[in-house]
Amino acid sequence: MLPPFEIVARRRPVDLVSPATRTEPGTDRFALPQPAPYAAITAADVGRRATLAFASGGVRLALEYDDGGYALTVTDATGRTTDHRSRRAGRAEAPVTELGLTLTGTHVTAFGREQGRWRARARYDLLERVDTRDDGFLTALEGGVEGEAGAVAAGAFGQLGLRDLRL
């Protein structure tokens, strides 16, 4: 009889921005149109304060990073702005080398790369506030980076997690 199988290692690429659609915009604000609500922005060489954001029309979805603390700021089309922080996971546990902001379906998520691994630090479900599947929203989608951040990459959401299966 054979012994039970066990996992010895997991080796798969993990990147928030899809390699097939990856761009490295040279400006702090850039067009990021998408055919579906799956987009990502990453910024390396992060300092003490940085902001990554998606914007479309009057909607703004932003990751506000401030000295190890993460918050998501959501401004909907009515102009209502709310801040969302995780009590359990909202602070970095190690030095942050990169920040990431993703839009996957109706969820916006803030990530930090700590000790070589991406960690989700805040997440918000936009279902009741923003129609992320609207063609107008997706066509006008823009990305932006402000503050102390280096190399920026943007494109479709990459190699992490499960996609929205409602097609």
Side-chain angles (χ1 to χ4, degrees):
M1 180 174 194
L2 292 173
F5 289 105
E6 62 183 63
I7 297 172
V8 229
R10 291 181 189 220
R11 292 184 179 96
R12 62 183 174 139
V14 175
D15 196 347
L16 297 183
V17 179
S18 167
T21 64
R22 185 181 189 93
T23 63
E24 296 180 6
T27 62
D28 52 358
R29 189 169 182 166
F30 46 90
L32 191 59
Q34 297 296 311
Y38 303 104
I41 303 169
T42 61
D45 306 320
V46 177
R48 294 176 56 122
R49 289 183 175 81
T51 300
L52 278 62
F54 294 116
S56 181
V59 174
R60 184 172 186 269
L61 313 171
L63 156 58
E64 307 281 345
Y65 176 77
D66 187 358
D67 203 21
Y70 296 81
L72 287 171
T73 303
V74 176
T75 303
D76 59 26
T78 68
R80 179 175 158 233
T81 300
T82 54
D83 289 327
H84 308 277
R85 299 171 193 270
S86 171
R87 289 184 183 167
R88 285 184 294 151
R91 294 211 51 85
E93 296 171 4
V96 176
T97 56
E98 284 184 79
L99 292 176
L101 180 66
T102 64
L103 174 64
T104 53
T106 61
H107 291 258
V108 62
T109 307
F111 287 88
R113 186 183 282 272
E114 302 168 29
Q115 297 178 330
R117 300 183 74 186
W118 285 110
R119 301 276 319 257
R121 292 296 180 186
R123 182 183 61 80
Y124 183 72
D125 188 352
L126 301 162
L127 185 62
E128 302 295 322
R129 306 240 340 246
V130 178
D131 184 4
T132 58
R133 293 178 176 91
D134 178 69
D135 285 337
F137 174 84
L138 294 168
T139 302
L141 192 63
E142 295 181 335
V145 177
E146 300 171 2
E148 301 170 27
V152 175
F157 181 66
Q159 304 165 322
L160 181 70
L162 179 68
R163 304 299 193 269
D164 186 350
L165 300 177
R166 298 183 312 150
L167 185 56

